[in-house]
Amino acid sequence: MKLAKRTQKIKPSMTLAISAKASAMRAEGIDIIGFGAGEPDFDTPENIKEAAVICLKEGFTKYTPVGGIDTLKEAIITKFKRDNGLDYNKSEIIVSCGAKHSIYNAAQVLFEEGDEVIIPAPYWVSYPDIVALSGAEPVILETSQENGFKLRLEDLKQSITSRTKGIILNSPSNPTGGGYTKEDIEEIAAIAVEREIFVISDEIYEKIIFDGFKHISIASLGDEIKDLTVVINGVSKAYSMTGWRIGYTAASKEIVSAMTKIQSQSTSNPVSISQKAAVEALNGPQDAIVMMVEEFRKRRDYIVERLNSIEGVSCFKPLGAFYVFPNISQLYGRRYGDRIIKGSLDMADYLIQEAKVSIVPGIAFGADDFMRLSYATSMENIKKGLDRIEEEISI
Ligand SMILES: *Cc1c(COP(=O)(O)O)cnc(C)c1O
């Protein structure tokens, strides 16, 4: 069978493959502790579920406008004003089927063959593939743990060529938990404006932040950078609504209308019921977020301290999101029984087989020296899982 070449340009999501392996072992009755989750472990807040029930009962179950209902766009506009100091109108907002879909549509609209798109590593697994599907070439820019996993300006300047069309930023970051300060993004914005580079700013973790870290949207730094920025956000992470599939984009009218055209010929509108639920999420009480962030902070403090107490492991303390990304490269080359750990894939395999713990190897995020552990799981699981990891890797 001869399938289109684009099917070979991309790989299936490695994070989903790891979850599948853990599920298969669980089905065999093996007690696996999972650190793989890419979603909050809390239920969607009651008021949001209730809004969906009312919507169903009222029969709001038909097609909606492609880019989302007016009340949701208005709620999103209010959110941008309130949280980010950003002014948009309805023609600058589009709602899609999850933030991943928003990023996909944006890439389809902005990038094509011959373009280069800069992606700082460690990156979210889907960015390089989404860029590749647009026909453009992902240009991976390494960052370091010492620098808080933030890109260095000299490196950014050096990686820009006449073909550079965009850069994808994600702050706070999945997988590292790193985040950019206002000063950092001011410098990046100045370069983007000078070189006329589009910025896709994935702000899905803006609410999950710790220790007084302030999230600043790069689009809020001035009109010139706002015109070049595509702000991506959604309700999946902040409101524990991953299954509802609502993401949204704010950008210039030209970009949003092109994204709407693409969406009109592919998925059409996001689910009508989810849209009403998202209105409640954005306009309703926000206290569920406070509770969730406080719980994540406690788990983060515990997990970072435990990991750093293991010889050969060094873990950056995240400013946001719900992942830790410890450096485990000092363990590479060690022999455990009859195996030698040579990289993050070997470590993932060793830990699931011997410790019965699933993690995601750093190589999935373009950083083989690391592994990702999600702390979107109970404190009890975190304790048990870390005991097992410590026992298996300490010699
Ligand atoms: C979870 C996640 C998304 C996508 O969220 P959905 O709205 O569920 O599609 C986008 N970016 C990052 C970095 C994420 O971790």
Side-chain angles (χ1 to χ4, degrees):
M1 228 189 299
K2 193 168 185 305
L3 303 182
K5 281 193 208 73
R6 81 174 68 85
T7 60
Q8 280 139 34
K9 273 203 287 199
I10 58 166
K11 26 182 206 330
S13 162
M14 200 185 287
T15 44
L16 298 181
I18 306 272
S19 316
K21 176 151 187 183
S23 310
M25 288 179 73
R26 270 194 205 106
E28 286 173 37
I30 304 169
D31 159 41
I32 301 286
I33 300 216
F35 286 112
E39 58 185 352
D41 54 316
F42 306 102
D43 195 7
T44 302
E46 214 46 53
N47 61 312
I48 299 174
K49 293 200 284 190
E50 196 50 43
V53 170
I54 293 169
C55 166
L56 261 178
K57 288 199 174 135
E58 287 176 351
F60 191 75
T61 54
K62 302 292 171 65
Y63 290 135
T64 76
V66 170
I69 54 177
D70 273 355
T71 47
L72 179 50
K73 286 193 179 181
E74 280 152 14
I76 292 167
I77 288 167
T78 306
K79 177 239 126 48
F80 275 121
K81 181 82 195 147
R82 178 186 68 211
D83 297 349
N84 311 102
L86 278 165
D87 283 307
Y88 288 106
N89 59 50
K90 275 187 234 161
S91 65
E92 296 166 315
I93 303 287
I94 169 175
V95 185
S96 303
C97 311
K100 187 187 277 188
H101 186 218
S102 307
I103 300 167
Y104 179 86
N105 282 343
Q108 290 291 312
V109 160
L110 300 177
F111 311 136
E112 62 193 345
E113 282 75 15
D115 292 341
E116 292 175 353
V117 179
I118 296 172
I119 303 175
Y123 46 72
W124 184 48
V125 276
S126 296
Y127 297 147
D129 298 271
I130 288 175
V131 167
L133 279 172
S134 76
E137 201 183 311
V139 173
I140 306 302
L141 196 58
E142 305 281 330
T143 66
S144 70
Q145 180 174 353
E146 297 70 50
N147 198 38
F149 297 106
K150 297 187 286 193
L151 57 78
R152 297 189 330 146
L153 286 187
E154 308 88 272
D155 296 340
L156 174 59
K157 283 184 193 152
Q158 277 197 345
S159 65
I160 295 175
T161 72
S162 58
R163 291 164 55 185
T164 305
K165 190 76 181 289
I167 176 165
I168 305 185
L169 294 180
N170 176 214
S171 173
S173 150
N174 172 5
T176 66
Y180 290 96
T181 63
K182 183 159 188 229
E183 292 69 40
D184 296 329
I185 52 169
E186 272 169 354
E187 292 174 331
I188 297 171
I191 295 174
V193 168
E194 186 193 322
R195 306 296 302 260
E196 278 189 73
I197 297 167
F198 288 113
V199 178
I200 294 184
S201 180
D202 181 348
E203 305 183 3
I204 195 96
Y205 291 104
E206 73 164 338
K207 301 279 183 194
I208 306 176
I209 47 179
F210 314 116
D211 307 338
F213 174 77
K214 282 198 174 46
H215 167 81
I216 307 283
S217 176
I218 190 166
S220 68
L221 298 179
D223 288 342
E224 283 176 303
I225 187 66
K226 187 181 174 208
D227 277 348
L228 288 168
T229 303
V230 177
V231 182
I232 305 284
N233 212 322
V235 296
S236 285
K237 306 291 160 58
Y239 303 97
S240 207
M241 289 176 73
T242 45
W244 300 72
R245 311 310 303 133
I246 296 289
Y248 54 85
T249 306
S252 70
K253 194 172 161 193
E254 291 77 7
I255 294 173
V256 164
S257 87
M259 286 175 69
T260 310
K261 198 157 59 169
I262 289 200
Q263 189 159 301
S264 77
Q265 297 296 16
S266 46
T267 59
S268 293
N269 63 273
V271 175
S272 59
I273 304 157
S274 299
Q275 289 189 59
K276 289 271 188 172
V279 171
E280 174 62 21
L282 294 173
N283 288 348
Q286 304 290 303
D287 40 332
I289 299 180
V290 179
M291 178 281 296
M292 187 169 71
V293 171
E294 179 51 20
E295 184 58 33
F296 280 143
R297 189 195 56 75
K298 280 189 215 147
R299 297 176 189 172
R300 176 204 63 161
D301 288 351
Y302 178 80
I303 201 167
V304 168
E305 200 183 309
R306 282 289 305 268
L307 284 167
N308 277 325
S309 75
I310 302 175
E311 189 250 313
V313 177
S314 144
C315 186
F316 169 78
K317 192 169 188 183
L319 306 167
F322 42 74
Y323 312 95
V324 281
F325 204 58
N327 187 320
I328 48 168
S329 60
Q330 281 190 48
L331 304 172
Y332 295 171
R334 275 201 196 171
R335 178 181 290 279
Y336 291 102
D338 53 5
R339 57 167 105 205
I340 297 175
I341 307 286
K342 294 195 213 73
S344 62
L345 276 171
D346 287 347
M347 183 58 90
D349 192 59
Y350 175 65
L351 288 178
I352 199 158
Q353 299 294 346
E354 304 301 329
K356 307 286 182 272
V357 161
S358 75
I359 54 95
V360 185
I363 198 167
F365 312 96
D368 196 33
D369 284 350
F370 301 82
M371 62 180 180
R372 189 191 78 174
L373 283 75
S374 155
Y375 46 91
T377 184
S378 70
M379 198 62 154
E380 194 192 337
N381 274 342
I382 291 172
K383 287 183 176 155
K384 209 152 80 174
L386 282 168
D387 288 345
R388 292 187 187 179
I389 292 176
E390 187 168 25
E391 191 180 316
E392 284 310 323
I393 65 182
S394 305
I395 44 172

